[in-house]
Amino acid sequence: MSDGKYFSTTKRGEIHELKEELRSLDRPKKKDAVKKVIAAMTVGKDVSMLFPDVVNCMQTDDLELKKLVYLYLINYAKTQPDLAIMAVNTFVKDSQDPNPLIRALAVRTMGCIRVDKITEYLCDPLQRCLKDDDPYVRKTAAVCVAKLYDINPELVEDRGFLDMLREMLSDANPMVVANALAALQEIQELASSGGKDLLQMTTQTLNKLLAALNECTEWGQVFILDSLAAYDTRDPRDAEKIAERVLPRLQHVNSAVVLSAVKVILRCMDVVALGPGGGEDTIRAWCKKMAPPLVTLLASEPEVQYVALRNINLIVQRRPAILANEVKVFFCKYNDPLYVKMEKLEIMIRLASDKNIDQVLLELKEYAQEVDVDFVRKSVRAIGRCAVALEKATERCINVLLELIQTKVSYVVQEAIIVIKDIFRRYPNQYESIIATLCDNLDSLDEPEAKSSMVWIIGEYAERIDNADELLEAFLETFPEETSMVQLQLLTATVKLFLKKPTESAQKMISAVLSCATTETDNPDLRDRAYIYWRLLSTDPEAAKDVVLAEKPVIADDSSTLDPSLLEQLVSRHLATVAAVYHRPPETFVSRQRLAVTRAEELGSRKFDEEDGTVPGAMVSDNNMAAAAGAAAAAVASSVGDLLDLSDATPAPPPAPAAAAGLGAAVPPQQPPAARGLDDLLGGLDIGGGAPAASSSVPAAAPAAAVGSSDPFASFGSGSASGAAGVAAAGAAGAAAGGLSAAALSQLPVLLSNPGGVSVQGRLVRQGGQVVYQLALRNDTAAPVDGLMIQTNRNSFGLSPASQVLVLSTPGGGSAVPPSSLVPVRVPLLVDAGKVTPPPLSTALQVALRTNQVGVLYFNDSVPLSALTEENGTMEAADFLAAWKALPPETSARLPLAVPSAESAKQRLAAANLFVLAHRQVPATGQDAIYATCRISAGGVGQVLLELKFVAGAGGVDVSVKAERQDVAQLVFDGLPAVLLGSA
């Protein structure tokens, strides 16, 4: 019977039964029990509570059973090192077992236990295994050295394990050589200081590695090839010798070996090129040998094709001659996935030359008539890139583009116009005869990039287009609705038209555009450009011509070209790795964080529950732990990211309209930009700005007015307490000003604890018909803390500070928190509909507090029910009854709390703006029933109806809630206990 049966049971009581079977004296039964444990572990069940029973099974001569137990130990050694310590004595004993498999298993498992004290027991067995007679044990021990180095680097160096690894590079067994090399490479990456070369490659070592290359496994070959690529040689003869030994690896069936061999040969090419005569003949011969293996990689499945194509893309950028004659290989097949087709297109563009451009254009034209829109767009762009790159083929490319425009397919036409704009920029004053054809297709333009490209063409060649003003006027009709890209291009094109053809219609257009761009837009880029054009035109039109109509530099096709230094790094060091797929260096997407090493003194005794897995604080599987950690990290990253990316909904003050009607006399309105000094810290904080400067009749005075705008932080630099007595008096007076006694101030809940820094206490309350944040800031630093500003993230109720600048509740309203003091702050909150998050309701509130001295602090709070309920939220009893019948079914819950009496409950409800409309005794139950209502406008909650049933003095309150929104009930259930207990 197959082992699949061990995965088929999920019955209750399974853990208890497994314990009994593991303790059985029947060997087959015990082995079956261990297999069931392994099966449960494999599917993600937590079976760590069986650890003592499984470890007891290690004392056996049955090799299969011992392997199963070690498999269990290896799994839990990674996540539960405190459990694995129990088996240390068995590990040490098994490391001297006559069976080499058991010796290797023992050392491998000991290397997985990340507890510092365990290394003392590991060193002696590891030293013996590194010199073991059996190569399997030696190769396993070599990898274990790298694991030990990650735990205790100093111990590895002191015990001479690194020297032993280097000696193993001369081992007679190629797999031992490969593993020793892999371990040294791993240790080299782990070593963070000094940049010391741990491998210490010599000529003798090099020859040993080359000799082992032909005999070890494919992954061993990859490790050796990677070390050869990293070997720094300046001797062309050595490079030729290495390349000749590596060239046969190009015929390997494993694509990783092929790409690693290519990496070595490319590195050798660079060295040979420095030799006599540049080594051209040698390099040419190597290129011919490298082409067929690279082409063969494209016969694999699509996923492997994609990885190969990403690597080939780098190779072609570095050495295009290798595949110069193989462009047909990269023609797309009908059944290729889209991601493969896109990569093939990139390589086709790079390999396109004057010799093969006709073939490439014919193929691209076919692609441009496919059904996949993204592929078609990419194909049309590819034709344009070929035109930009190959001057002799430009006319042929344009003819193909014109043929595609005649198809009248909207997205094809638009992509063609975009690339023709690039062709005009690359070859000015050569192909403008086709502009008329482009102008005939204006009706099909609906995408921003295509519109902006066409507008650029009209503006750039306005003097050659008879009806340029009419064409631009058609675009200007929708100017306010266009995207910023199109608006900017329309603004520049209109200015070009006026400077080239200063007709009356052009003057009206420029006046309208400049007025709209300066008075009716919130885009600062558009507004600033309009101001610049306006001032140029009104002061010196000739200077405007020199600026706007200046000759532009020609462009080049560098849209997909990597920086030369990055390309060199990727090709010489990271080919055949994930970095070559991403086209990014590893440090940009890999964070090498070492796993925590558990200290032996931190390990407490663990009790194993006899029940079915219901262990308090039960250990979870490796996958579950990773998922939980990932979710927590994502949650933290999300909250911080939102707070750092808050949108500023405050519109800029509108500028005054221009007084003069004519362009020559027009004076642009003065509008200094608002100060944005904190945008790099808190993107959403509206930190204010100076009031607009008075309008001036001289345009050049506007920048000075802008510079002279008031500083929003000017009032935060002065004022500090002068001594401990002054601080204490200020704190007491501030507490009184904030409506709290000094004792009540210290009792506010702690929201952010930061010993030695700035800590925050506070709660949300309702005062004077609005939500107020009662905060207390404790400064435990040695200097005053000022520049205090506050912002809330988007939340279910849209709560946002009325003023983001904090004014301390101290005499005179100071702006700095003195050192070693606790200062109150009262922050009124408003409801901002733009900051309301979509349902469901959540009471969570994320807050950012900015200071000049300690940067930005983040903390989380919860919005209490009593802060949201409004003072005018009552209703008539008859209306309550009608609403109760009309609303959707109620949501009910039982709250585990005791209410002393009905009268106290009514008083506390009324204090929290929960208006009691009726109170009655429920017959035959001894319960009191209270009917209440409240209104919450924040977040669009509306009227809420409640029914509370309870027995005075007894535990439990039954609450039923009715409202238009079903998610309101949980808000009430969460907030009502604090109200009824009088702690709201």
Side-chain angles (χ1 to χ4, degrees), residues 813-824:
S815 61
V817 181
S820 304
S821 64
L822 183 67
V823 176

Side-chain angles (χ1 to χ4, degrees), residues 88-111:
V88 164
N89 290 333
T90 308
F91 295 149
V92 175
K93 180 181 176 183
D94 283 351
S95 69
Q96 303 178 60
D97 194 276
N99 190 324
L101 293 177
I102 294 177
R103 297 200 300 273
L105 280 172
V107 175
R108 176 187 299 165
T109 308
M110 291 179 77

Side-chain angles (χ1 to χ4, degrees), residues 387-407:
V388 171
L390 302 172
E391 184 173 1
K392 293 182 180 178
T394 304
E395 188 168 352
R396 282 173 281 178
C397 295
I398 290 177
N399 291 335
V400 173
L401 290 172
L402 292 176
E403 291 178 26
L404 293 175
I405 290 176
Q406 299 307 318
T407 62

